[in-house]
Amino acid sequence: MNRIERIKGGLLGGAVGDALGAPVEFLEWSAIRATFGARGIADFAPAYGRIGAITDDTQMMLFTAEGLLRAYVRGSSRGICHVPSVIHHALLRWLMTQDYSPATSVTLNGWLVQERDLWSRRAPGHTCVNALKASSRFGFLSENNSKGCGAIMRVAPCAFFGNAFDNAAESGRLTHGHPTGYMAAGLFADILQRIADRQDSLEHAITESLVEHGHKPGMEETRALVERVLFFFYEGYRPTPERIDEVGGGWIAEEALAIGIWCALTATSFEDGVINAVNHSGDSDSTGLIAGHLLGIQYGVEAIPDRWLERLELRGVIEAVAEDIERVPRDYSGYGGEFDAEIEVRYPGD
Ligand SMILES: [Mg+2]
C-alpha cells in the first residue's frame, strides 16, 4: 500500500469513527441498546442536525495537521521553527471557529479556517477550550492537571512527520497538564508512525513503542492499561460493551487509548473494530476515532465502507489535508529543501 492510501485511511478512518460515535457520545450502553438494538449503533445516525457529523475531535485533528504543515513551511523558509508553537497557533484558530476569543492575537489566514463548515460547535471539551482561552502566547503550557482525552484525540497527523512522539506529547501538553494526558498522546502518535513508516502490524507497533517509550516518567498509567488490553488480545478476550465499561469510560487519555487499541487489535474488519469501539457507556466518539485511526492507517482508505465515506461530513476537506501531507517530505530538515509554492499559499508560515 502506498503512503497516500495510509494517510487518507488514517485521517478518514478516525473521522468515520468519530462520526459513528457522535450520536451516542453521551449515552449509557443501556440507552444505546434500547435505541439501536442488541448490536448497538452500527451505522451513521443523526447528530448535530445531520447524518455523518464529525465532532470537535476531528476538527482539532485537522487543525493539528494544519499546524504541522505550517511548521514545515516555516521551517523550510526561515530555517527555524518550534513545531508545538505552530500547532498551538493552529489550535487557536480552531478556538476562534468555536466563537471564543483567545488571549493571544491569532492570524486567520490559510485555507482551512476559511472552511465555513468547521465553524460549528460539536460539544468541544472544556479542558481544551479553557486552556486555549488562557494561552497568553504560542507555546504556553497549560496550568491544569487534566488527563482528559482531548490531547490524544487530535494528534494522529503527527504520525506522518518526523518526531511523532515529541510533537504529539508537546502539543498535547499545551492543553493537558497531567503527564498521562500528554504522554498517552505521544505513545499513540508513535504507534501510528510505526505502522505508517514500517508497515508494522499493530501488535508489533504497540510492543515496540512500549519498549522505547513505556518506561519514561509519566507513562505508568498508560503503559499499565495498554498492557492490560494487550493481554486481553493474547488471551482471545474480545471487547463487548460491558467489558469496555470495566476498562473505563474513555473520558481520560489512558482509557481512551486502551479501548481504541483493544477494539482495533481484535477487529475482523475496519467496520467491526469501529462499531465495537463506539458501543459502550463512555466517550464513544473519541474511542471510535482512535480505533478508526489505528485501523485506517493499517488497511488504508479501501477498507472503510463506502456508505460511511459517502456521508461523512468534511470528507473533501479531510482528503485535501491528507493529500497536502503526502506532498511534503516526512523528515524535513528545518531549512532549505524543495520549495513548494502551492503548499506555502495554503499553509502560510508566518
Ligand atoms: Mg467529540
Side-chain angles (χ1 to χ4, degrees), residues 190 194 198 207-216:
D190 185 72
R194 287 170 194 276
R198 307 177 197 175
T207 53
E208 291 291 302
S209 195
L210 284 174
V211 166
E212 186 169 344
H213 302 291
H215 294 276
K216 292 181 175 175

Side-chain angles (χ1 to χ4, degrees), residues 2-9 301 319 322-324 326:
N2 62 30
R3 185 164 165 82
I4 186 64
E5 288 170 51
R6 282 189 196 276
I7 298 171
K8 277 192 180 168
V301 68
E319 287 179 337
E323 284 161 14
D324 291 337
E326 203 259 347

Side-chain angles (χ1 to χ4, degrees), residues 18 21-22 25-26 48 54-58 122-125 149 153 251 283-286 289:
D18 183 28
E25 177 180 4
F26 301 109
Y48 306 103
I54 54 87
T55 82
D56 58 325
D57 302 42
T58 297
R122 301 293 169 83
C149 69
M153 74 188 196
W251 301 104
D283 190 0
S284 299
D285 58 334
S286 300
L289 169 129

